[in-house]
Amino acid sequence: MSETGPRPRAAADVPALVRQARSGGPRAVARLISLIENAAPEVRQITAELCAARRSEPAHVIGLTGSPGVGKSTTTAMLVAAYRKLGRRVGVLAVDPSSPFTGGALLGDRVRMQDHATDPEVFIRSMASRGHLGGLAWATPQALRVLDAAGCDVILIETVGVGQAEVDIASLADSTIVLLAPGMGDGIQAAKAGILEVADVFVVNKADREGAQATVRELRNMIAMVRRPWKTPIVSTIAARGEGGEDVVDALAKHLDHMAASGELERRRLARAGDEIEAIALTALRAGFTGLRGGDRLESLAAEVVAGDTDPYSAADRLLAAL
Amino acid sequence: MSETGPRPRAAADVPALVRQARSGGPRAVARLISLIENAAPEVRQITAELCAARRSEPAHVIGLTGSPGVGKSTTTAMLVAAYRKLGRRVGVLAVDPSSPFTGGALLGDRVRMQDHATDPEVFIRSMASRGHLGGLAWATPQALRVLDAAGCDVILIETVGVGQAEVDIASLADSTIVLLAPGMGDGIQAAKAGILEVADVFVVNKADREGAQATVRELRNMIAMVRRPWKTPIVSTIAARGEGGEDVVDALAKHLDHMAASGELERRRLARAGDEIEAIALTALRAGFTGLRGGDRLESLAAEVVAGDTDPYSAADRLLAAL
């Protein structure tokens, strides 16, 4: 309303928030993730503080992905219940890569999570991944670190995904569940190419529906064609009735053991740290691109390419030289 | 078989290939796109030659996206037929972002395109987008340039997409079609957040099915809530019977006119060139990261982060300083 524009937000007290998050304070957890989601200037400090105080045994990070309609939210709710039965503290991060525009989307879906909303041992959070190049890669590991600091034994990352999102999730998780349901049209066929390499556990949900056995068979044939040390198990569930949750939890525990024994867990964690460092570095570099002035700034170079006065490789050379 | 490893591939004769592609030679077009897909060393030269000889009026680039099962391939085939009736030369690029691993996936689906396979005025090509950070952003504009040089008036980019892929496609296309079908479960709801900003034309396929009117109504209500100069039209089709193709083509032509008149077309093309330059520059930088030696190379820094000896921001600083 005034001519000076919006009042600058007071800087967050990061050490206090991190302290509160570490003792399991849900509001501090939510606040820290919001700061990360909004790429607040405090993020660097948050990350440094969380890294300095990290636990020796980090949470088991589980990705859950599948086409719309397969029952992701219901399955997540079922897994939360199964883990709570074992006394585990659980974090849920619902990442919505389709929403670079609207923060906190898909909250409607979270209704299915309301059973757990008042449980102090369950942290649930939606997060939109803004911007396209590496949005998920940048913010998700940082949000995971917050949930880890809050003492979660297990963190479920749920994403609406056909395509790229699956691959991104797989690179962030220790174990990736690919969720399918019978009668989803050409879902399996379309997904075939990427899904097989990505799935550590297949879950066929809505197992009481027609076609469930055929879906399991099709998956089994696909798995048989791939030679990997880990034979991806197929678990049938009826998440809406809570059936099969313990079987999924068992399969995930076996996968984690296999990963730890084979050294693959360490390898994935190293790769993840490398991806995160790279994403941070690239974000800084991109900020540098737009900060340039004169004929070698990105906008001027783009205009030259559109006008046919140069090609994008020569333009990229000039951009890098100007940096 | 020999100890010297695979024989080095002979370098492609780029000027000859570009010359052949420009006179509409399908094999040259296919070869150039393969070189791009495989990130061959010739790509820079290919791009430079294509840019130097670009046409004054580039092709209308149309993105087509939608969940599995909505009928993307059938709709693409229908649109190709509609454009061919108008005498237009058409390129089809089927991008599969779920497949960073297996090149040329989804070819099974292309069966529906066989009607057009022998038409010399139609160029059809599948392309896998390898690697995650910016794979699509890097290769697709280059492949578009090949099809453009081959004299295509219209280029359709088809992608399996819920989520990120939509946003990526929208940033590559002049016009984006979001394809829906009735009875796709929570498809619309899940997609809602991202879809509305991305769609220039909505197509409700399988319009003879139950629920088609409800889907159209739901979309209309969503569109009514958004204030944009372009009111996204909704076209009903039955692609399997070829019904509605001309209506979609009409809607796309109107959208292109609107874009040209409002200056938005120029703005999108500038943004696209900027994205491409940036993707090339970032690819070069990432190659630089892995080329570093000693304690500041990415692998060493990742190990330090995993061990808790540093945080990813400090690691990114060191990486950039070492570059």
Side-chain angles (χ1 to χ4, degrees), chain B residues 11 18 42 47 54 59 79 118 125 150 156 189 201 203 205 207 213 258 267 280 301 306:
Chain B
V18 168
E42 291 93 338
T47 302
R54 98 216 147 83
L79 292 178
T118 54
R125 180 62 206 221
L156 298 165
Q189 197 216 332
V201 173
V203 173
N205 192 30
Q213 281 309 310
H258 165 84
R267 205 194 59 74
I280 291 169
L301 293 168
V306 168

Side-chain angles (χ1 to χ4, degrees), chain A residues 15 49 74-75 123 126 129 141 150 152 157 169 221-222 237 268 296:
Chain A
E49 297 246 354
T74 330
T75 304
F123 298 85
S126 282
S129 72
C152 292
I157 317 177
I169 284 295
N221 292 339
M222 280 166 58
T237 61
R268 284 200 195 184
D296 288 340

